[in-house]
Amino acid sequence: MNKQDLAFTPALEQAQLIRNKELSPLELTQLYLDRIETLDSKLGSYFTVTAELALADAKAKTEQLATTDPDTLPPFFGIPISIKDLTAVADMPCSYGVAALRDKLPSHDRAVVTRIKQGGFVLLGKTATSQLGSLPFTEPAGFPPARNPWNLDYTPGGSSGGASAALSAGLCAIAQASDGGGSLRGPAACCGLVGIKPARGRVSLAPLGDCVNGLLAHGAITRTVADAAAMLDLISGYVPGDPYWLPDPDPSFLAHATAKTVKPLRIAFATKLDPIGEAAPECQQAVLDTVQRLEEMGHAIEQISLDLTDLLQPLKAIWVSGISFSGMPREILQPINQWFLERGQQVTSGQYLQAVAQMQMFCRRIVASLEQYDALVLPVFMSPTIRVGEWANLSPEEILHKSFEWVAPCPLFNATGQPAIVIPAGFSSGLPVGVQLVGRPAGEAPLFTLAAQLEAAHPWIQYRPPIA
């Protein structure tokens, strides 16, 4: 296998090559570091590359491999991974997309990082994010903008834009990411990848508390459905003190992703979201093509309507308050986050609690209305990927309005806490288009089975961006 093919090999297959001693962790890590050195100056996908730490860890793992029974190794032993720069790793810079904090070193690992380390991964560094994760594109002040490997004039999405750009270009094997309103799913769709936003409580937020009323979820962006399932198996689980949690799946998510038989399911779809309207033709077509394939597989399909009118205002109130929660001084924030900060400071505690209650009551109605369906197919974004800098000259209020319209299919399921998986669904003007499959509460397992069925029928692993 040549080096380029190896860089784009799914992580589980790479792990098997390491177990078979056909490949060493050191060789694989050096391969990705070489690609980062060659390509990342064009992409802006990494804020920090910890090459020395990665090589030292990979060397130690290579030595361990020589003296250890391969069957006792953790599932992703020796596999290089990127970590989003909103996720703290002890003694590794974590800027949160704020240039003034680019050298800040946290003293702790997030729980998801602890599990990633336990899984055997080699950490390559920290990927680019929008400042404080507040925007669906990745252009924080003081850093180069992250660019889409399929066309460098376009964004890879946000806030996990660096994660999706790095993985899409073959600069890591898996990308850790997070999603508070589409921040993982959007970038996966923009770059032709798989993205899993777990159900609320599936992955611990420890050691921190829940700062946005259950909207945030840690997940992953991957090349294949099986990689996504195995990654979720690894990072899931309760940490004492978590405000909410879910039991581990039985059997595993990977078992569901590799199931040989699939029972017929009842699946809903929508291409229109009131009060925003119909998705752009390219995004509609991706949904229609997907549901046609599902119908051909024997699933029952039904079109539905979704009305988000009662969600938008309370969600915006909660969203702008998140910048206030960060505690960041106004002077180190870029202008749009200064505006968010000012708006959030105008929301009283009573208004905030009212917004939370309104959001939760809306979610009760939505979840109840979807209970009869096993899954829901939706666009990821309402229109195609935007250009880098396309909204740079707009006012903060205009950017907020356009952002909510663009990502409208995503935040709903952060609010309800339902799981969603994004899969590639074709191309438009040379750029990937994705769809999201949404499950019942705590219902990731059937989503993995369904997504794997679509992947097997129309494989996407062979597609690579031109820069690769």
Side-chain angles (χ1 to χ4, degrees):
M1 185 185 299
N2 65 46
K3 288 186 175 182
Q4 181 169 303
D5 288 342
L6 180 58
F8 286 87
T9 297
L12 287 174
E13 294 180 26
Q14 291 177 342
Q16 191 58 52
L17 290 173
I18 289 173
R19 281 191 183 78
N20 294 343
K21 300 185 179 180
E22 299 173 50
L23 175 68
S24 76
L26 186 57
E27 290 170 328
L28 189 58
T29 300
Q30 188 64 64
L31 167 63
Y32 282 118
L33 289 173
D34 289 345
R35 291 182 65 84
I36 291 169
E37 185 175 3
T38 301
L39 296 175
D40 192 54
S41 61
K42 303 173 185 177
L43 292 168
S45 64
Y46 281 88
F47 281 166
T48 304
V49 180
T50 53
E52 290 185 8
L53 291 174
L55 288 171
D57 188 23
K59 182 180 179 181
K61 284 182 165 64
T62 298
E63 293 170 354
Q64 180 185 349
L65 182 65
T67 59
T68 304
D69 179 356
D71 292 336
T72 66
L73 295 172
F76 290 103
F77 183 81
I79 302 303
I81 190 173
S82 64
I83 306 295
K84 182 178 177 180
D85 206 33
L86 292 182
T87 305
V89 180
D91 300 321
M92 186 180 288
C94 189
S95 72
Y96 307 98
V98 179
L101 303 179
R102 65 171 76 238
D103 298 321
K104 182 179 175 63
L105 296 176
S107 60
H108 68 278
D109 287 340
R110 291 293 292 264
V112 67
V113 172
T114 299
R115 295 224 159 110
I116 284 170
K117 290 180 176 179
Q118 291 169 347
F121 281 108
V122 174
L123 277 58
L124 293 171
K126 305 298 285 295
T127 51
T129 174
S130 59
Q131 191 178 88
L132 301 181
S134 64
L135 296 170
F137 49 91
T138 305
E139 302 169 27
F143 297 91
R147 297 180 180 274
N148 194 316
W150 290 91
N151 185 326
L152 298 179
D153 291 333
Y154 287 81
T155 183
S159 60
S160 306
S164 61
L167 184 63
S168 180
L171 309 189
C172 58
I174 279 184
Q176 181 271 336
S178 56
D179 191 314
S183 288
L184 179 163
R185 285 164 287 163
C190 288
C191 293
L193 300 164
V194 177
I196 177 63
K197 182 201 84 69
R200 181 178 297 141
R202 181 68 67 193
V203 179
S204 176
L205 300 177
L208 304 182
D210 171 24
C211 63
V212 282
N213 291 99
L215 297 179
L216 179 65
H218 284 286
I221 302 176
T222 67
R223 301 194 191 286
T224 66
V225 175
D227 279 0
M231 183 67 171
L232 189 54
D233 283 326
L234 173 67
I235 64 176
S236 294
Y238 171 73
V239 172
D242 283 345
Y244 25 66
W245 59 91
L246 296 173
D248 293 335
D250 185 17
S252 68
F253 291 128
L254 181 57
H256 284 278
T258 54
K260 301 302 181 185
T261 59
V262 183
K263 68 177 183 178
L265 301 177
R266 188 178 183 189
I267 299 171
F269 78 95
T271 59
K272 180 182 179 183
L273 298 177
D274 291 326
I276 294 161
E278 287 279 4
E282 304 94 319
C283 303
Q284 286 190 52
Q285 194 59 50
V287 171
L288 296 175
D289 289 345
T290 300
V291 297
Q292 181 179 345
R293 291 166 188 163
L294 291 168
E295 193 167 33
E296 291 169 355
M297 295 170 183
H299 300 293
I301 306 297
E302 181 178 335
Q303 187 169 11
I304 64 169
S305 60
L306 288 172
D307 189 337
L308 309 186
T309 303
D310 293 341
L311 176 65
L312 296 181
Q313 288 309 312
L315 194 60
K316 286 180 181 179
I318 295 167
W319 191 252
V320 298
S321 299
I323 303 300
S324 299
F325 173 84
S326 74
M328 297 285 181
R330 182 183 187 279
E331 59 270 17
I332 69 172
L333 300 178
Q334 64 191 75
I336 187 165
N337 280 332
Q338 292 181 356
W339 184 82
F340 283 157
L341 178 65
E342 292 162 3
R343 288 290 297 271
Q345 290 172 340
Q346 295 169 13
V347 178
T348 68
S349 57
Q351 289 170 335
Y352 183 88
L353 292 174
Q354 287 174 353
V356 171
Q358 289 166 4
M359 179 182 73
Q360 292 174 345
M361 289 187 290
F362 173 84
C363 290
R364 288 183 185 278
R365 298 198 304 271
I366 284 288
V367 173
S369 71
L370 296 174
E371 183 61 28
Q372 59 189 305
Y373 303 108
D374 298 297
L376 170 64
V377 184
L378 286 175
V380 181
F381 285 159
M382 294 297 284
S383 57
T385 307
I386 63 172
R387 289 179 177 271
V388 172
E390 186 168 329
W391 297 346
N393 295 323
L394 299 180
S395 70
E397 193 163 10
E398 289 173 318
I399 293 174
L400 179 63
H401 176 74
K402 282 186 171 290
S403 294
F404 263 79
E405 284 203 339
W406 189 33
V407 308
C410 289
L412 168 60
F413 304 107
N414 297 88
T416 65
Q418 292 169 263
I421 186 169
V422 166
I423 59 172
F427 294 86
S428 174
S429 302
L431 289 165
V433 179
V435 297
Q436 61 174 329
L437 311 177
V438 181
R440 290 180 169 139
E444 293 99 329
L447 290 186
F448 282 124
T449 304
L450 196 63
Q453 189 181 21
L454 287 164
E455 179 182 42
H458 296 271
W460 50 74
I461 190 68
Q462 70 269 26
Y463 297 113
R464 299 175 189 173
I467 195 174

